[in-house]
Amino acid sequence: MRAFVTFCLAMLSATGSPASARPVEPPPEVARLLERLDPRSGGIAITQAHASLDLGEDYIFYGPQDARSILIGLWGNHPDEANSALGLVMPAGTTPLSDSWGAVVTFEQSGWVSNADAREVDPEAVLDAMRQTSADLNARRRAAGNAGVEIVGWVAQPRYDSVDHSVVWARELDFDDADVNTLNYEIRALGRRGVLSLNVVSAMPRLAEIREAADALAGRAAFDPGYRYADYDSATDVAAGYGIAGLVAGGAGLAVAKNAGAFALLVKVAKPLIVAALILAGLFFGPLRRLIGRRRVAGQT
């Protein structure tokens, strides 16, 4: 990790001089890690979620082991924060060292999420509830000497697609110790047993590029026959106990605050650092989303 940080700082220094036209060679351990990676494109099976991603030639996918190597070995996340990663999606033609973005793929076996409230979601009410809930978390973080993070507002309000059964939303976050605000883009595909997630943490200047990618990726996730959203059977299956509003509240993204040091690296070297603590967001916001979406959904479609 130390060698990678040194390499990133060398790249950053080079951008301010005529020497920036010369490529900067990564240290040997970083080069060896890159050589072991096996990016794939086309149709990708996410077996743990009984789902697949149709990436075509526009994106590449790193499997669970590669994603863990990237998240920990290259992007500096704690090993415990990468345990739930099922993969990593990046634009075609990039590498984990590119000035680009990446989306961590996870699956939460939460049960079937009702779409009954999809047209009734009040984005501002959800945002206010999340801000209130985050106040205590921020107070504890600052008391411990860590940076707090505030939700600035929606970059893209929650949008539910009734055909793909997907939800996409994005927020702008403001860390106490960062000069550049954070972009947190979230993509959810709803299935019979739970939710497939693609989470992006980047810097706000990348908004236009990531917005386009998020809209495209939302329609490229599909569950296998028997595990699709429409396959839900209220007589036998488990319901999540919340709807679309609760799902959004549970993906607040404030768990990135757990890894302020990693985010500081993102700000300094402008790398596509995915803070894998997003995976743990449900631990912080489970009670909130159940409060917002408290509705028994048995029999609803």
Side-chain angles (χ1 to χ4, degrees), residues 9-73:
L9 293 176
M11 290 181 63
L12 180 64
S13 299
T15 60
S17 69
S20 60
R22 297 197 303 268
V24 179
E25 292 296 328
E29 54 267 49
V30 173
R32 286 194 295 270
L33 192 156
L34 290 173
E35 290 174 359
R36 292 195 297 268
L37 298 178
D38 181 28
R40 293 172 286 150
S41 57
I44 304 296
I46 311 295
T47 56
Q48 298 90 332
H50 298 283
S52 62
L53 294 172
D54 181 11
L55 300 182
E57 299 300 320
D58 300 320
Y59 305 96
I60 53 176
F61 179 84
Y62 295 96
Q65 188 57 49
D66 281 355
R68 184 175 174 84
S69 296
I70 294 167
L71 289 169
I72 299 169

Side-chain angles (χ1 to χ4, degrees), residues 201-212:
V201 178
S202 188
M204 280 300 296
R206 306 202 75 90
L207 172 59
E209 174 189 357
I210 295 174
R211 187 198 303 275
E212 181 178 354

